[in-house]
Amino acid sequence: MNARDYRWLAALLLVALFIWTRDATWLGRADASWPVLISLPLFVWFGFPWKFNTTGEPIALKRAGLGVACLALGVLTNLVTLLAAGWTLLLWTWLSARVEPDRLPHVRRLLVLPMLAFPCVICDGEHIGWLFRISGAFFAQGFFSLVGFDVSRVGADLTVNGAQISIAPACAGLNTLQAMLIAGSAAAILIMGSRARWWWTLPLLGVIAWMSNTLRIILIGISALTFGPQFTMGAFHAYGGWLVLTIMFATSVWLFSVAQRFMTRSPR
């Protein structure tokens, strides 16, 4: 490590603190935000063994400039996603100049984890939450109707056999969505990370997250019909998000294991 490396690391740390502290939205959901902090330690862990060169390659100024531009645009638009993208680009700019060339492809595949190391979904995900609620309520209506219940729906509110089930913003899954994406990314890296074509699995994480959250909504409805709203809005609702996270991780592991078997004979 030389003086330039320490300057880069100090700058990255300061920018990360700036991103985390400039928008206090996540403070209201701190219990869901703290799991996001595991993303960077996972990045470091999955990156082992880290091999740094002794001389250091020239910094890619265009990439660094793009990272700074993303940060500036993120500040102007108040989008944490852009800020996270800018920070990740700056991190990659430094790593691509310091990590040994034979390790760069592996490290590049891990960059989704630094991108998820900031509360992007919690701060920017209002529209995603609305989509999760409406679509989840729609499919829950179809499920309860299919199994023979008398069900009607107005927006995100369901009436099942006379019981009112409101899919409130807290049921949108945003509190655990980013943690689910981190868990799914970890599963993809563990199972398929050595393969050059593993990136195609990433869009599936959003689909799995949506399916897991929709299942959570259905389970909440079943719980309300079986045990009553008091039980449902108590411990079951509080720990339902972690149930979704478990389902997400288990589904991801299964899906990527199946895909990995199909790609066994594919070139790396």
Side-chain angles (χ1 to χ4, degrees):
M1 299 283 282
N2 54 40
R4 187 183 73 172
D5 295 324
Y6 288 116
R7 287 194 296 268
W8 267 96
L9 289 174
L12 287 169
L13 177 60
L14 290 174
V15 173
L17 291 174
F18 168 75
I19 295 173
W20 268 94
T21 57
R22 70 180 302 273
D23 189 339
T25 303
W26 63 272
L27 287 173
R29 305 172 185 169
D31 57 333
S33 301
W34 296 126
V36 175
L37 294 177
I38 199 176
S39 196
L40 272 183
L42 283 174
F43 172 73
V44 175
W45 180 36
F46 289 145
F48 277 110
W50 290 93
K51 298 180 181 179
F52 294 97
N53 57 51
T54 56
T55 57
E57 298 295 326
I59 292 294
L61 295 180
K62 289 184 178 179
R63 186 184 295 133
L66 181 59
V68 171
C70 281
L71 288 172
L73 190 58
V75 172
L76 291 174
T77 58
N78 199 34
L79 289 175
V80 177
T81 303
L82 284 175
L83 292 169
W87 190 88
T88 303
L89 277 171
L90 292 178
L91 174 66
W92 175 238
T93 299
W94 174 68
L95 289 174
S96 61
R98 292 295 283 115
V99 173
E100 289 286 355
D102 64 314
R103 293 294 295 168
L104 283 177
H106 174 69
V107 174
R108 184 169 56 243
R109 295 174 194 136
L110 304 178
L111 290 178
V112 63
L113 292 173
M115 182 70 188
L116 293 172
F118 302 93
C120 306
V121 174
I122 291 173
C123 294
D124 301 343
E126 179 181 352
H127 297 298
I128 297 175
W130 177 85
L131 180 62
F132 269 46
R133 290 171 59 209
I134 293 297
S135 59
F138 174 79
F139 278 89
Q141 177 189 16
F143 169 81
F144 287 117
S145 177
L146 183 65
V147 296
F149 286 99
D150 180 20
V151 56
S152 61
R153 179 180 64 88
V154 177
D157 296 328
L158 294 173
T159 302
V160 184
N161 277 13
Q164 299 288 330
I165 303 173
S166 180
I167 313 301
C171 296
L174 290 187
N175 284 1
T176 53
L177 175 57
Q178 194 159 340
M180 286 192 290
L181 293 176
I182 293 170
S185 297
I189 291 167
L190 285 170
I191 296 171
M192 305 184 67
S194 62
R195 296 186 171 276
R197 294 190 295 173
W198 85 286
W199 290 98
W200 69 268
T201 64
L202 293 181
L204 293 177
L205 297 178
V207 177
I208 296 172
W210 175 84
M211 292 174 62
S212 301
N213 193 68
T214 300
L215 177 60
R216 175 182 177 237
I217 292 173
I218 292 173
L219 290 177
I220 287 174
I222 294 173
S223 172
L225 291 170
T226 306
F227 302 106
Q230 186 173 0
F231 170 82
T232 301
M233 297 310 296
F236 184 87
H237 192 276
Y239 292 103
W242 293 107
L243 173 63
V244 172
L245 184 59
T246 302
I247 294 171
M248 169 81 178
F249 187 77
T251 304
S252 300
V253 168
W254 173 79
L255 180 64
F256 298 143
S257 296
V258 172
Q260 194 268 349
R261 288 197 292 271
F262 275 106
M263 295 172 63
T264 299
R265 298 181 181 179
S266 301
R268 290 176 182 263

